[in-house]
Amino acid sequence: GDSVTQMEGPVTLSEEAFLTINCTYTATGYPSLFWYVQYPGEGLQLLLKATKADDKGSNKGFEATYRKETTSFHLEKGSVQVSDSAVYFCALSVKTGGGADGLTFGKGTHLIIQP
Amino acid sequence: EAGVVQSPRYKIIEKKQPVAFWCNPISGHNTLYWYRQNLGQGPELLIRYENEEAVDDSQLPKDRFSAERLKGVDSTLKIQPAELGDSAVYLCASSPRTGFNYGYTFGSGTRLTVV
């Protein structure tokens, strides 16, 4: 079956540090890839996505590139802020029939940014 | 545009009692999903609807869980009777038919505590 593996947290960084959160996947078909973010006390928000190989998704200074050859979708940011503290989920979706299949999530990575 | 609306936000019940969660998706989104998120884990798909039809309920514990989406708009997820292990956050999400390409929008969730 489909699965997503993320680096385990918590990940603690100082403000303005470089961030990488690793994500690899296995999928039965050709997936779309997503990063969702969950801020404390809030729901899941779509951060960025990529729907085909070599696509780069980007938003709010975060970016991730769909690497089919390494089945990876690592999340990066050049300079993190305290406000980036949250839980980050990598997820995939595989198209089935004519519809939109559900998401398969990783376990999440808790990111803590210290001032 | 209103997002995905869920209610109640929190629910505390005693074991063996019934409970129901309600979800109103984004207008025009044909596909609706229910997920369960256990503490410290990523969400797991319970059921997926295309309009009023449940097209994937393979992960729904059918002995105690039921769901409906009458008229293909809002949806209700029910647990009867609830068990201690059902304590989790229940998330509803919706997508256009092409959610595979455009992403999925989540509600804020219902946090269920079974005591």
Side-chain angles (χ1 to χ4, degrees):
Chain A
D2 303 334
S3 67
V4 175
T5 302
Q6 294 180 235
M7 59 188 297
E8 293 189 11
V11 173
T12 304
L13 296 172
S14 298
E15 202 165 23
E16 299 184 2
F18 184 86
L19 168 70
T20 299
I21 300 178
N22 290 335
C23 171
T24 58
Y25 67 90
T26 59
T28 53
Y30 197 146
S32 285
L33 302 174
F34 305 84
W35 277 99
Y36 278 83
V37 59
Q38 192 169 38
Y39 297 103
E42 298 185 16
L44 284 163
Q45 301 176 24
L46 177 63
L47 181 59
L48 53 84
K49 62 175 174 64
T51 59
K52 59 182 186 296
D54 300 324
D55 269 2
K56 178 184 286 187
S58 62
N59 186 25
K60 299 181 180 180
F62 290 90
E63 56 184 34
T65 301
Y66 189 141
R67 301 290 188 197
K68 187 178 181 182
E69 65 275 14
T70 55
T71 62
S72 65
F73 193 54
H74 305 320
L75 183 68
E76 296 182 335
K77 186 175 185 181
S79 177
V80 293
Q81 306 299 314
V82 172
S83 58
D84 294 327
S85 299
V87 180
Y88 292 81
F89 292 93
C90 185
L92 67 82
S93 173
V94 178
K95 194 172 185 180
T96 57
D101 205 357
L103 288 161
T104 298
F105 284 88
K107 292 185 176 181
T109 302
H110 187 192
L111 176 65
I112 301 169
I113 307 300
Q114 297 178 333
Chain B
E1 170 183 87
V4 176
V5 179
Q6 290 188 247
S7 67
R9 191 71 193 272
Y10 304 93
K11 190 74 176 179
I12 301 174
I13 61 170
E14 295 183 343
K15 62 182 180 183
K16 300 184 181 180
Q17 294 302 305
V19 64
F21 316 123
W22 177 80
C23 172
N24 189 268
I26 291 175
S27 177
H29 281 196
N30 297 329
T31 309
L32 182 147
Y33 311 79
W34 283 102
Y35 290 84
R36 177 170 58 189
Q37 185 177 16
N38 292 314
L39 187 64
Q41 302 293 317
E44 296 178 331
L45 181 67
L46 291 174
I47 189 168
R48 171 168 68 101
Y49 281 92
E50 294 284 348
N51 298 306
E52 66 275 8
E53 181 183 1
V55 296
D56 182 2
D57 62 357
S58 57
Q59 302 304 311
L60 189 72
K62 298 182 184 63
D63 56 337
R64 297 182 300 107
F65 286 67
S66 64
E68 61 182 10
R69 191 185 184 196
L70 299 176
K71 300 181 181 179
V73 182
D74 55 352
S75 177
T76 303
L77 178 68
K78 299 178 181 177
I79 308 175
Q80 181 170 12
E83 298 179 352
L84 294 176
D86 296 330
S87 294
V89 176
Y90 291 83
L91 296 165
C92 179
S94 70
S95 69
R97 189 162 173 78
T98 54
F100 174 80
N101 292 324
Y102 294 101
Y104 307 75
T105 304
F106 284 81
S108 298
T110 296
R111 182 177 296 276
L112 174 67
T113 303
V114 182
V115 298

